[in-house]
């Protein structure tokens, strides 16, 4: 009955994509971070009633290059803005992201890291006429931060996209859907865990949606443990027998049917959570957005 075993293994990924840091620190300060920048605008909190997202306490800079390097010894971030670029709707943003392949680039430690992913997605969006920003994210107790790309949508507010193509060593695959890409909606609240959800299942950019996602993930883990325990009990009691007579045959057939129902429910729940769960990089301390 090997078909009973649900394929919920941790993802095996190429060493060309995953380095020692594994979806962790990517952006590095230049010698004089913040030098020559205009005054920042401090963003207000999100409007939970209307569903318009923002990041309370984030600092937004307009028309300045981010004072960060793309890698420890690499070039500085170089944003190419399009004067004709505009803010788009959430659906227009989704259409662009699905057509863009930046997230499929290989993650190369100390060479092509999150800062480069964020820069390239920004520049490609601007080329496509979509206004974008480069986002620096720092974490409490961590020397190295992270980078992503922001978009000010006209109907959902600020949306941050994390398209770095590496897996977390403490994350795991969900369901049987397979990897569809690495575009993820980033959920950011200063003083709270940095979270991401695969783009294809992210129903809202508001942080409360990420908390709902974690609740569903806990339910998935609980159901997975229950299924695995029940399947182990089934196999143990079956004892390797391949020929059964009544009433044992009907008894094990009904048990097998219950296990199949559990497996189907578990697989569906996993698919609704996306292809992969990325563990948080840490608690966000500061957010700087460069338009």
């Amino acid at each position: 009955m090997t078909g009973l075993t649900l394929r919920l293994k941790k993802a095996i990924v190429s060493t060309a994509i995953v380095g020692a840091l594994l979806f962790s620190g990517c952006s590095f300060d230049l010698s004089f971070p913040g030098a020559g920048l205009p005054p920042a605008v401090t963003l207000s909190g999100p409007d939970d009633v209307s569903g318009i997202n923002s990041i309370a306490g984030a600092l937004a800079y307009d028309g300045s290059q981010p004072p960060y390097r793309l890698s420890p010894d690499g070039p500085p971030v170089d944003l190419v803005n399009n004067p004709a670029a505009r803010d788009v709707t959430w659906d227009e943003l989704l259409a662009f992201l699905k057509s863009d392949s930046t997230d499929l680039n290989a993650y190369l430690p100390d060479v092509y890291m999150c800062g480069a992913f964020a820069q390239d997605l920004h520049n490609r969006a601007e080329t496509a006429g979509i206004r974008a920003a480069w986002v620096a994210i720092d974490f409490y107790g961590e020397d190295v931060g992270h980078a992503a790309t922001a978009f000010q949508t006209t109907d959902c507010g600020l949306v941050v996209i994390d398209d770095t193509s590496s897996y977390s060593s403490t994350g795991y695959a969900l369901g049987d859907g397979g990897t569809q890409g690495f575009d993820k909606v980033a959920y950011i609240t200063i003083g709270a865990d940095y979270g991401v959800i695969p783009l294809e299942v992210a129903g809202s950019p508001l942080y409360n949606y990420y908390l709902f996602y974690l609740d569903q993930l806990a339910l998935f883990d609980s159901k997975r443990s229950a299924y695995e325990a029940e399947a182990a009990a089934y196999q143990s009691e079956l004892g390797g027998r391949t020929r059964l007579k009544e009433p044992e045959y009907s008894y094990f057939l009904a048990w097998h049917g219950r296990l199949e129902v559990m497996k189907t429910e578990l697989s569906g729940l996993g698919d609704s959570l996306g292809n992969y769960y990325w563990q948080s990089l840490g608690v966000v301390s500061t957010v700087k957005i460069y338009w």
Side-chain angles (χ1 to χ4, degrees):
M1 298 294 179
T2 57
L4 290 173
T5 303
L6 186 63
R7 296 189 299 275
L8 295 170
K9 60 183 180 297
K10 290 188 176 181
I12 300 173
V13 293
S14 169
T15 55
I17 295 179
V18 182
L21 294 180
L22 292 168
F23 188 58
S24 59
C26 298
S27 48
F28 296 82
D29 289 338
L30 291 177
S31 301
F32 304 100
L37 292 179
V41 173
T42 303
L43 301 187
S44 60
D47 183 346
D48 293 289
V49 176
S50 64
I52 301 299
N53 192 51
S54 188
I55 304 173
L59 301 177
Y61 299 89
D62 192 15
S64 296
Q65 292 291 343
Y68 293 86
R69 294 188 186 279
L70 295 177
S71 59
D73 298 314
V77 176
D78 183 18
L79 303 183
V80 180
N81 289 323
N82 175 3
R86 62 182 179 90
D87 295 333
V88 296
T89 66
W90 167 254
D91 286 341
E92 287 175 311
L93 176 60
L94 288 181
F96 164 73
L97 292 171
K98 289 176 181 178
S99 69
D100 179 75
S101 62
T102 305
D103 62 304
L104 300 181
N105 292 342
Y107 178 97
L108 303 175
D110 295 338
V111 178
Y112 191 88
M113 305 167 73
C114 65
F117 280 94
Q119 171 193 269
D120 289 351
L121 181 59
H122 169 281
N123 290 349
R124 291 179 181 182
E126 292 276 341
T127 298
I130 300 172
R131 193 170 76 100
W134 193 93
V135 185
I137 306 150
D138 292 317
F139 306 100
Y140 286 107
E142 301 291 339
D143 293 330
V144 180
H146 191 56
T149 312
F151 302 87
Q152 187 68 37
T153 63
T154 58
D155 51 352
C156 294
L158 188 68
V159 176
V160 180
I161 300 297
D162 185 332
D163 68 339
T164 300
S165 70
S166 58
Y167 286 111
S168 166
S169 60
T170 52
Y172 48 86
L174 299 169
D176 296 323
T179 299
Q180 300 180 35
F182 293 92
D183 284 323
K184 304 168 288 294
V185 175
Y187 293 85
I188 303 173
T189 293
I190 294 175
D193 283 332
Y194 174 84
V196 297
I197 297 178
L199 181 67
E200 65 270 16
V201 296
S204 165
L206 291 170
Y207 196 84
N208 283 346
Y209 189 84
Y210 174 65
L211 299 179
F212 166 77
Y213 178 88
L214 293 181
D215 287 340
Q216 293 298 105
L217 180 68
L219 178 63
F220 171 84
D221 286 338
S222 175
K223 287 182 176 292
R224 179 178 59 179
S225 296
Y227 169 81
E228 290 174 346
E230 189 71 10
Y234 173 88
Q235 296 285 12
S236 176
E237 190 166 338
L238 186 63
R241 289 175 287 177
T242 58
R243 295 180 182 231
L244 297 171
K245 296 181 179 180
E246 293 291 359
E248 288 86 359
Y249 176 78
S250 294
Y251 170 76
F252 280 104
L253 181 64
W255 195 351
H256 178 272
R258 293 193 297 273
L259 283 169
E260 287 297 308
V261 171
M262 293 175 69
K263 184 176 73 171
T264 299
E265 181 182 359
L266 183 59
S267 181
L269 181 57
D271 289 342
S272 74
L273 294 170
N275 54 55
Y276 195 83
Y277 165 65
W278 282 268
Q279 188 181 51
S280 173
L281 295 178
V283 176
V284 175
S285 59
T286 59
V287 178
K288 298 177 182 179
I289 304 173
Y290 301 87
W291 294 98

